[in-house]
């Protein structure tokens, strides 16, 4: 009897061991199969963006969202009404595919606008490409011009897609941070500067491109003529392409001048300039952008665009075209949206700077754009951030504020390369293109907390 039980137990153990081995084999086979479908090498290392993470956070905690860069007030009526009119018109072609490189009415309007601004006649059919937002303009520019091993200079902090797009193209990002040169007193975005020797050292025979963002997100810096001339000098010396991200081109304050780098001597032939209808007309959901420059450079973007996006929505392009036609007729006049919006935003900027200062933070006053960086480190001893497990302090702070204060900002370390993320940890980014009532609520939240 004992012998029989021992044999039965031994058989059971053997059977269990065989089951475990079979499960392990199946797991190994599944893992081997799934490995085939892992991220390709050009995408490995990619992680969900800060936007995905903070949108989910906002959906969960429902804070007052001053983090994301979109207006929460109505766009101009002539802009939104244009789309309503298009929807009701009898012309069926306004709802079909349009020209792949850009709706003719829109590229004609852009040609008329920018030819006057840059002092050079732009061919609407060859010098301008309409894209799915400035985001795609960046993508098509980088994918169309950067080859494996090409070096691309990126000024930090940077819009977070610059780095992954360069890597996706096989390029090598080379970073240089803007650094705050002022320790005390009121801070302007002009106080954030590049170290000239460090900047010059990045240029070499492998340098293919530099990405310039002016007015700058998130600092709000408007690069002045001397700074742009230095960038242009090095681009000419090393035969480097300049990609100028100018989506906030109309949003400048305090007499700051937005200078298009393509207008500097020797720069037209080596500059691609990017723009955005979303930022220009406060309709970020329309996702219409553009790139302009010499046909020889735009051709590369066209090759990427035609084999990925192909064409952008016809009704939206028509609506943007009609909106530009309205503005072209009153360009430079007080009622122009290109002048009235920055007037309105300047007041909101000043109001935000005031309530952030009163809360104990140290804001950087932007010369352009609609974002404001604020140094929150003076508040560090008033907050217990131990409940937040994130690696970087600005992530801890912004998440704590979202959950406990009901006020959301964006952590600027997301806009730095890994070695330089510490440079952004003492800051938070807020957006001030919001309804005044929401800015009032933010001020009240911080006042009560203080």
């Amino acid at each position: 009897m004992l012998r029989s039980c021992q044999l039965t137990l031994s058989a059971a153990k053997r059977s269990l061991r065989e089951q475990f081995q079979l499960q392990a084999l199946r797991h190994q086979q599944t893992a081997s199969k799934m490995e085939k479908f892992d991220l390709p090498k050009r995408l490995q290392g990619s992680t969900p963006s800060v936007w995905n993470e903070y949108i989910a956070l906002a959906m969960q905690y429902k804070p007052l969202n001053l983090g994301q860069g979109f207006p929460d007030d109505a766009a101009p009526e002539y802009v939104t009404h244009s789309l309503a009119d298009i929807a009701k018109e009898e012309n069926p072609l306004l709802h079909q595919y349009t020209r792949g490189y850009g709706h003719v009415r829109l590229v004609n309007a852009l040609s008329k606008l920018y030819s006057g601004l840059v002092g050079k006649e732009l061919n609407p059919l060859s010098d301008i490409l309409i894209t799915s937002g400035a985001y795609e303009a960046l993508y098509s520019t980088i994918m169309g011009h950067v080859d494996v091993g090409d070096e691309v200079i990126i000024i930090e902090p940077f819009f977070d897609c610059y780095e992954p797009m360069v890597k996706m193209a096989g390029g090598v990002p080379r970073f240089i941070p803007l650094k705050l040169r002022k320790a005390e007193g009121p801070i302007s975005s002009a106080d954030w500067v590049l170290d000239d020797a460090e900047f010059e050292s990045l240029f070499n025979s492998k340098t293919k491109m530099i990405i310039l963002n002016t007015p700058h997100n998130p600092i709000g810096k408007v690069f002045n003529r001397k700074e742009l001339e230095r960038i242009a000098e090095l681009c000419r010396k090393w035969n480097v392409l300049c990609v100028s991200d100018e989506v906030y081109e109309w949003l400048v304050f305090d007499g700051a001048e937005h200078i298009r780098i393509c207008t500097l001597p020797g720069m037209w032939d080596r500059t691609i300039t990017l723009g955005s209808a979303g930022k220009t007309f406060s309709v970020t959901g329309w996702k219409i952008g553009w790139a302009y420059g010499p046909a020889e450079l735009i051709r590369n973007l066209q090759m990427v665009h035609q084999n990925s996006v192909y064409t952008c929505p016809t009704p939206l392009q028509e609506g943007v075209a009609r909106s530009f036609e309205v503005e072209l007729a009153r360009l430079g006049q007080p009622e122009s949206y290109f002048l009235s919006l920055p007037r309105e935003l300047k007041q909101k900027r000043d109001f935000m700077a005031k309530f952030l200062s009163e809360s104990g933070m140290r804001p950087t006053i932007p010369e352009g754009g609609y974002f404001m960086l604020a140094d929150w480190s003076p508040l560090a001893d008033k907050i217990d951030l131990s409940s937040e497990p994130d690696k970087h302090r600005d992530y801890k702070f912004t998440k704590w504020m979202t959950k406990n204060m009901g006020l959301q900002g964006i952590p600027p370390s997301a806009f730095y390369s890994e070695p330089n993320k510490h440079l952004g940890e003492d800051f938070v980014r807020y957006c001030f293109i919001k309804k005044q009532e929401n800015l009032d609520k933010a001020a009240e939240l911080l006042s009560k907390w203080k």
Side-chain angles (χ1 to χ4, degrees):
M1 184 68 177
L2 180 61
R3 175 66 174 168
S4 175
C5 289
Q6 289 175 336
L7 289 172
T8 302
L9 183 61
S10 177
K13 288 180 177 178
R14 186 167 59 253
S15 175
L16 188 61
R17 185 167 59 250
E18 289 172 352
Q19 288 180 34
F20 282 142
Q21 290 174 341
L22 182 60
Q23 288 176 357
L25 180 61
R26 287 175 177 169
H27 178 75
Q28 187 178 18
Q29 290 172 338
T30 301
S32 179
K33 289 178 181 178
M34 293 310 296
E35 185 178 349
K36 186 176 183 179
F37 306 112
D38 197 1
L39 284 173
K41 289 182 179 179
R42 68 179 181 278
L43 295 178
Q44 285 178 7
S46 299
T47 57
S49 73
V50 65
W51 314 114
N52 289 323
E53 184 177 4
Y54 274 69
I55 288 172
L57 197 66
M59 290 174 65
Q60 181 179 356
Y61 290 94
K62 298 178 174 51
L64 179 59
N65 189 347
L66 298 188
Q68 285 183 270
F70 60 83
D72 60 4
D73 211 346
E77 284 191 356
Y78 70 88
V79 177
T80 53
H81 286 186
S82 72
L83 197 56
D85 293 341
I86 291 163
K88 292 181 288 187
E89 287 186 15
E90 295 182 0
N91 182 359
L93 295 183
L94 288 175
H95 303 283
Q96 308 306 323
Y97 294 133
T98 188
R99 175 176 172 269
Y101 296 150
H103 190 55
V104 171
R105 187 169 182 175
L106 178 53
V107 294
N108 281 337
L110 289 171
S111 172
K112 186 175 181 180
L113 173 67
Y114 286 113
S115 293
L117 292 173
V118 305
K120 185 179 294 287
E121 195 66 32
L122 270 65
N123 184 324
L125 301 182
S126 60
D127 296 346
I128 301 170
L129 174 69
I130 304 301
T131 58
S132 182
Y135 213 96
E136 192 238 317
L138 275 166
Y139 178 82
S140 293
T141 300
I142 292 169
M143 296 303 291
H145 280 280
V146 175
D147 211 339
V148 176
D150 286 342
E151 294 186 2
V152 177
I153 296 173
I154 298 176
I155 298 171
E156 298 180 292
F158 55 86
F159 190 54
D160 65 318
C161 70
Y162 291 178
E163 180 182 6
M165 285 183 182
V166 169
K167 288 181 175 178
M168 201 182 305
V172 180
R174 300 289 304 278
F175 301 100
I176 180 166
L178 289 162
K179 293 180 179 177
L180 185 58
R181 64 182 176 185
K182 192 174 183 181
E184 297 179 357
I187 300 170
S188 164
S189 56
D191 294 319
W192 293 74
V193 297
L194 296 171
D195 178 275
D196 187 69
E198 182 183 1
F199 183 51
E200 183 173 11
S201 72
L202 291 180
F203 286 81
N204 61 76
S205 60
K206 295 181 181 179
T207 308
K208 182 68 162 289
M209 176 187 292
I210 179 171
I211 304 177
L212 170 69
N213 179 206
T214 183
H216 184 273
N217 171 19
I219 292 174
K221 179 182 178 66
V222 178
F223 283 76
N224 62 40
R225 184 173 295 277
K226 183 179 179 181
E227 290 170 323
L228 294 175
E229 286 176 344
R230 179 58 169 153
I231 293 171
E233 176 189 358
L234 291 170
C235 285
R236 292 191 299 267
K237 178 180 178 179
W238 292 100
N239 193 26
V240 170
L241 174 65
C242 180
V243 178
S244 192
D245 180 349
E246 301 183 10
V247 297
Y248 304 102
E249 59 188 315
W250 301 106
L251 305 180
V252 292
F253 318 116
D254 304 327
E257 180 186 8
H258 172 60
I259 300 168
R260 293 168 175 83
I261 194 169
C262 70
T263 64
L264 298 186
M267 288 304 291
W268 171 256
D269 291 334
R270 63 177 67 259
T271 302
I272 297 172
T273 307
L274 313 181
S276 163
K279 304 300 190 296
T280 298
F281 293 111
S282 299
V283 285
T284 60
W286 286 23
K287 290 297 291 180
I288 297 294
W290 52 84
Y292 67 85
E296 296 77 15
L297 296 180
I298 297 298
R299 176 185 176 277
N300 295 38
L301 283 64
Q302 292 174 337
M303 295 302 100
V304 177
H305 177 82
Q306 74 176 16
N307 293 303
S308 52
V309 175
Y310 171 57
T311 190
C312 298
T314 307
L316 295 174
Q317 293 192 69
E318 175 77 10
V320 174
R322 295 183 186 187
S323 300
F324 268 120
E325 288 167 3
V326 170
E327 287 301 325
L328 281 165
R330 59 188 188 186
L331 199 63
Q333 299 176 24
E335 64 270 25
S336 169
Y337 189 63
F338 299 167
L339 295 178
S340 65
L341 180 58
R343 283 199 304 268
E344 176 188 339
L345 286 179
K346 181 182 184 301
Q347 295 178 358
K348 294 183 175 183
R349 177 202 70 170
D350 294 345
F351 179 71
M352 175 174 278
K354 181 176 182 292
F355 73 71
L356 290 178
S357 296
E358 289 174 349
S359 75
M361 299 190 211
R362 296 186 67 220
T364 290
I365 311 302
E367 304 159 281
Y370 48 58
F371 298 107
M372 185 175 296
L373 277 188
D375 181 354
W376 62 269
S377 63
L379 308 178
D381 60 351
K382 301 178 182 179
I383 314 171
D384 181 5
L385 300 179
S386 60
S387 60
E388 301 301 332
D390 291 81
K391 177 181 177 181
H392 299 291
R393 294 192 307 279
D394 54 337
Y395 273 80
K396 291 175 182 285
F397 174 75
T398 49
K399 289 183 178 180
W400 188 93
M401 291 287 284
T402 298
K403 297 171 185 178
N404 296 278
M405 289 289 301
L407 180 62
Q408 187 173 65
I410 292 294
S413 66
F415 307 139
Y416 285 87
S417 62
E418 192 60 42
N420 286 334
K421 285 190 180 297
H422 66 280
L423 297 175
E425 286 189 285
D426 286 341
F427 296 90
V428 55
R429 189 195 81 167
Y430 292 118
C431 175
F432 55 87
I433 190 168
K434 303 294 181 181
K435 292 179 182 177
Q436 185 60 42
E437 63 191 75
N438 286 330
L439 296 177
D440 289 339
K441 289 177 184 176
E444 185 180 359
L445 284 170
L446 289 171
S447 178
K448 286 182 179 178
W449 178 50
K450 182 183 176 183

